[in-house]
Amino acid sequence: MSTESMTLARALNQSLRKALEDDPQVLVMGEDVGRLGGVFRVTEGLQKDFSEERVMDSPLAESGIVGTAIGLALNGYRPVVEIQFDGFVFPAYDQIVTQLAKVHARSRGMLTMPVVIRIPYGGGIGAVEHHSDSPEALFAHVAGLRVVSPSNAADAYWMLQQAIRSDDPVIFFEPKRRYWDTAEVDRAVPPVDLHRADVVRRGTDVTLVAYGPMVKVCLEAAEAAAEEGRSLEVIDLRSVSPVDFDTVQASVERTRRLVVVHEAPVFFGAGAEIAARITTRCFYHLEAPVLRVGGYHAPYPPARLEEEYLPGLDRVLDAVDRSLGY
Amino acid sequence: MTVPGTERSHAPDLSRVLSAFSSRAEEPPGPIQLLTPEGTLVHHPDDTPGYDPLRLRAFYRDMVMARSIDTEATALQRQGELGLWPPLAGQEAAQIGSAHALRADDYAFPSYREHGVAWCRGVDPVDVVRLYRGVTNGGWDPREKNFHLYTLVVGSHALHATGYAMGLAKRGSGAAAIAYFGDGATSEGDVAEAFTFAAVHDAPVVFFCQNNQWAISEPVERQLRGPLYRRAAGFGFPGVQVDGNDVLAVHAVTEAALEHARTGNGPFFIEASTYRMGAHTTSDDPTRYRRAAELDEWRAKDPIDRVRTHLAEAGHATQEFFDDVATEGAELALRIRRQVRTMPDPDRTEVFGHVYADGHPLVDEERAQFAAYQASFADQEVK
């Protein structure tokens, strides 16, 4: 059997291993990815098996990591870069937004940038400041970048394979509080498209859209709602750029209600774009305004407060109640 | 209670320590020079690295071409044909000398003023001008010329050159990369990070800094406590200062630096001391921040004049040669002028071209919306 039970972190590790085996141009680079195997052990054992030439411990300089990855990509390599934590990506933001995202366009298609930037993101692990942020909207806003986030081990395995094969730069957000969640991974079944949303629970009353760490919360909310006789449909968006609006639209046309859930602050978040577009597409179907559940317009709080800050099951169900109240 | 070492009698005399340190430091030897501003060789021709009259005539020709391109493009901007032009005048020796040291398989990463390097890499000047006319954000096939697109954000490409060079080393290609940037760029974090990455990876990359003394209105003293070339030592690789207006010296030093890199010795830093005789760009007015006397001082050190004087006085070139080169420069300028003035604007849909290599539904949707919007006007005209 090709199906195997593994954690999300292990699935990523296996996916990187496969990519390194399949394509000699694939490189893994980042801080502590070598001997240590990464602070979350996602790259464990890779340097030992694939050499320091292909699995490189980088100097502690994020702009340098992404900037040299661009140069390596110009030279035919396919670098998979690790940024150690969400809050550390900003020294590299200039290289990502100003350079990486635009190389293909400014060369009028002559150059491609097959670079994957892996970023463990989100809260819920009791971390110190700058280790719990969700900056995906800041990347989705940039033309030229693809932005994805798996919610489970199987998607983690396959989506990383697809991201590495993409000729465009992909910002790959890994839900760090789900690293240790286990799921069945079938390494033989061809995956669905990297950017297609997945209806992970069928329902009739309200549609919940989430991605990454919040998919599990929404599934739990749907389970709780079912006990009260409410049928919630849950969509795992999987991709924040592009967004699979067709799948969301089809669902909302049936349920007539939509709640978008993410950890990132609500203001100018992915939910705002989804609300605007779905309102336009489904204007005559909607029974209630599209509601959003997410972080507050405040810096991510100290760990002792994160349970209050993060949208949990109750806040999702509260939004469901409000939606049904229209 | 007294903390050990803080009693006055035991406190280290900081000024004595510092003066002992500074007296040990060597005096800067001065920039490497082979051909003086007066056109005389510093050493006997036999002791002048790479000295060859034929090659010197080629340098002269290319420097004249670079200035011709520059003069014409500046004029075109003044006449409204270009949106902007960053003049290179004064930096011809730094660019032509270094570019001639490159092999075809070396890869150059220019900033936005490297029109002379572009010329030597075989990039049509019309393609360079195309960028500043606002027709494209690129202009040429970088892989065909081994000459990357211009990078407008100062210093960013030092990292791209370093990454590219890391790749060259991985493949054992035996080639090198070169990154061109200015004195202002050395203040950017990306340049410092490039030095770090290049050093620890022994990347075959030459960092070629044209210290043209000015970063728009800020003199080099605003960027650093010099001398600049010494910065490389702190990162663990060699750095030298060369007379950037001396094409012979620039060529010899760059050739040595590239060989150093190609043979597995890691990065090399060159500070070419030169001068931006014109404005930063055509949007700038240098009379607001620098003295006319300074310009006159550097005019006397013109990189082209000294080669011409030397070639003539040494009997290595006839008047006919100089006339031919001048004619060729004028013809090149005329061609640029003609081609720029008849250059078509890009197709409207170019906005959506090549945003993604693998396509993106949002771009497709907006392209279709844009086309429908444009078509709606066409309908009205028909009615």
Side-chain angles (χ1 to χ4, degrees):
Chain A
M1 277 299 286
S2 57
T3 299
E4 197 184 327
S5 179
M6 63 180 83
T7 63
L8 194 152
R10 176 86 181 147
L12 292 169
N13 177 272
Q14 293 299 300
S15 190
L16 288 170
R17 179 171 288 278
K18 177 86 165 64
L20 285 160
E21 279 167 2
D22 287 355
D23 185 350
Q25 307 307 330
V26 171
L27 305 172
V28 171
M29 50 201 284
E31 295 157 9
D32 306 300
V33 299
R35 201 175 297 177
L36 182 67
V39 293
F40 290 106
R41 307 296 181 265
V42 169
T43 55
E44 187 156 35
L46 299 181
Q47 189 181 65
K48 185 169 79 59
D49 294 343
F50 295 95
S51 88
E52 291 181 26
E53 279 294 303
R54 299 191 60 201
V55 181
M56 292 182 282
D57 273 328
S58 304
L60 217 162
E62 287 78 9
S63 188
I65 294 170
V66 174
T68 53
I70 290 170
L72 283 158
L74 289 171
N75 203 343
Y77 289 91
R78 305 182 86 84
V80 185
V81 161
E82 178 176 305
I83 298 292
Q84 205 159 68
F85 281 93
D86 37 59
F88 302 168
V89 72
F90 296 103
Y93 196 63
D94 171 52
Q95 283 285 346
I96 295 171
V97 172
T98 313
Q99 305 295 332
L100 181 66
K102 293 178 176 159
V103 169
H104 187 66
R106 64 200 302 271
S107 71
R108 298 190 67 244
M110 286 184 274
L111 304 174
T112 53
M113 278 289 117
V115 177
V116 177
I117 300 180
R118 296 179 37 241
I119 309 176
Y121 84 121
I125 64 163
V128 293
E129 202 181 5
H130 312 302
H131 291 65
S132 303
D133 294 333
S134 297
E136 64 274 14
L138 297 172
F139 296 91
H141 194 64
V142 179
L145 301 178
R146 298 177 180 278
V147 182
V148 300
S149 179
S151 69
N152 60 74
D155 275 355
Y157 180 85
W158 280 114
M159 288 170 72
L160 187 54
Q161 287 290 301
Q162 292 165 313
I164 293 168
R165 286 192 196 126
S166 169
D167 278 336
D168 293 311
V170 180
I171 315 297
F172 195 90
F173 282 104
E174 300 172 359
K176 69 168 87 79
R177 64 168 147 151
R178 308 292 178 220
Y179 269 147
W180 305 280
D181 287 5
T182 301
E184 293 294 313
V185 178
D186 189 337
R187 283 186 264 184
V189 170
V192 296
D193 185 276
L194 177 61
H195 300 291
R196 216 177 78 190
D198 196 6
V199 180
V200 290
R201 183 186 173 106
R202 287 280 172 188
T204 53
D205 299 339
V206 178
T207 300
L208 297 179
V209 165
Y211 51 86
M214 294 310 293
V215 173
K216 187 177 179 185
V217 174
C218 287
L219 285 170
E220 287 167 358
E223 196 61 42
E227 286 169 18
E228 294 175 9
R230 283 171 179 173
S231 168
L232 306 187
E233 179 144 310
V234 180
I235 296 178
D236 181 353
L237 204 59
R238 301 170 80 246
S239 172
V240 183
S241 178
V243 170
D244 178 3
F245 289 110
D246 291 346
T247 296
V248 180
Q249 179 180 352
S251 173
V252 172
E253 283 176 0
R254 283 187 289 103
T255 65
R256 298 173 173 259
R257 288 181 168 81
L258 174 62
V259 176
V260 187
V261 184
H262 49 61
E263 282 190 32
V266 166
F267 190 66
F268 273 89
E273 186 62 34
I274 294 166
R277 297 223 177 223
I278 292 302
T279 301
T280 305
R281 286 184 179 219
C282 306
F283 192 67
Y284 294 108
H285 289 87
L286 285 167
E287 297 286 353
V290 178
L291 298 181
R292 291 170 289 158
V293 181
Y296 299 112
H297 195 58
Y300 197 90
R304 292 284 179 182
L305 292 174
E306 72 178 344
E307 225 169 291
E308 308 300 322
Y309 175 89
L310 287 171
L313 184 144
D314 289 337
R315 265 176 42 209
V316 173
L317 290 178
D318 175 65
V320 167
D321 285 347
R322 282 188 283 127
S323 179
L324 288 166
Y326 277 91
Chain B
M1 194 180 136
T2 314
V3 178
T6 58
E7 303 92 335
R8 182 169 290 273
S9 59
H10 291 119
D13 185 339
L14 189 61
S15 66
R16 264 177 58 195
V17 172
L18 286 175
S19 73
F21 179 78
S22 66
S23 71
R24 284 214 317 276
E26 289 165 37
E27 284 304 305
I32 297 166
Q33 191 182 64
L34 297 176
L35 183 66
T36 69
E38 293 73 35
T40 53
L41 290 175
V42 174
H43 309 289
H44 186 275
D46 295 346
D47 299 326
T48 301
Y51 183 77
D52 170 13
L54 190 68
R55 177 188 274 170
L56 198 52
R57 284 201 296 275
F59 291 167
Y60 176 80
R61 173 185 172 268
D62 283 340
M63 287 197 290
V64 170
M65 294 306 133
R67 189 164 289 185
S68 187
I69 293 163
D70 192 59
T71 307
E72 184 57 37
T74 304
L76 284 166
Q77 195 284 332
R78 294 301 183 220
Q79 292 158 22
E81 296 289 345
L82 305 184
L84 186 81
W85 180 255
L88 73 82
Q91 300 178 215
E92 292 87 352
Q95 296 195 13
I96 303 303
S98 60
H100 269 267
L102 293 170
R103 290 193 322 219
D105 60 342
D106 295 330
Y107 207 104
F109 289 78
S111 167
Y112 46 79
R113 202 190 298 280
E114 273 64 66
H115 321 313
V117 184
W119 168 256
C120 291
R121 296 307 274 179
V123 176
D124 189 334
V126 175
D127 288 337
V128 178
V129 168
R130 195 187 301 278
L131 167 69
Y132 290 106
R133 188 173 162 88
V135 175
T136 178
N137 287 330
W140 53 88
D141 184 348
R143 292 163 309 178
E144 189 196 335
K145 312 291 184 191
N146 275 6
F147 183 72
H148 193 54
L149 299 176
Y150 276 5
T151 295
L152 276 64
V153 177
V154 167
S156 301
H157 58 297
L159 282 166
H160 308 160
T162 301
Y164 193 91
M166 286 161 60
L168 289 175
K170 278 182 202 305
R171 320 191 179 282
S173 78
I178 186 167
Y180 287 92
F181 50 82
D183 40 297
T186 62
S187 298
E188 290 282 0
D190 275 359
V191 170
E193 292 189 19
F195 287 2
T196 297
F197 275 71
V200 302
H201 286 286
D202 271 333
V205 56
V206 172
F207 298 109
F208 191 94
C209 176
Q210 292 167 82
N211 178 356
N212 69 12
Q213 314 303 326
W214 291 93
I216 308 190
S217 70
E218 296 191 6
V220 70
E221 295 76 31
R222 276 282 140 230
Q223 309 298 335
L224 58 112
R225 300 281 290 269
L228 180 50
Y229 73 93
R230 278 210 185 140
R231 194 167 287 186
F235 289 88
F237 56 90
V240 299
Q241 189 183 33
V242 61
D243 178 351
N245 283 14
D246 172 355
V247 71
L248 277 177
V250 170
H251 180 261
V253 166
T254 312
E255 213 166 45
L258 286 164
E259 201 47 31
H260 168 97
R262 290 189 199 110
T263 48
N265 298 300
F268 200 102
F269 178 73
I270 298 170
E271 175 193 358
S273 299
T274 181
Y275 194 70
R276 190 193 79 209
M277 297 210 286
H280 163 65
T281 69
T282 44
S283 300
D284 172 36
D285 174 11
T287 64
R288 289 173 70 96
Y289 53 81
R290 68 185 189 192
R291 294 173 298 112
E294 182 183 290
L295 182 57
D296 293 340
E297 237 172 78
W298 281 92
R299 274 215 180 96
K301 296 188 265 191
D302 187 285
I304 301 180
D305 290 350
R306 71 177 77 177
V307 176
R308 186 189 168 103
T309 305
H310 175 76
L311 284 173
E313 286 181 357
H316 291 318
T318 59
Q319 186 56 44
E320 193 189 355
F321 167 77
F322 293 122
D323 292 346
D324 285 351
V325 171
T327 304
E328 197 187 344
E331 282 168 0
L332 175 61
L334 187 65
R335 179 172 75 82
I336 294 169
R337 164 165 298 262
R338 281 191 181 135
Q339 287 186 246
V340 165
R341 297 184 73 177
T342 55
M343 192 179 279
D345 282 348
D347 188 86
R348 286 166 171 175
T349 56
E350 186 72 8
V351 173
F352 306 97
H354 314 295
V355 183
Y356 292 87
D358 297 340
H360 192 286
L362 180 61
V363 177
D364 295 342
E365 187 185 325
E366 292 184 351
R367 184 195 287 110
Q369 284 170 357
F370 178 78
Y373 177 72
Q374 295 292 340
S376 72
F377 293 107
D379 286 349
Q380 280 174 7
E381 279 166 28
V382 172
K383 282 172 193 168

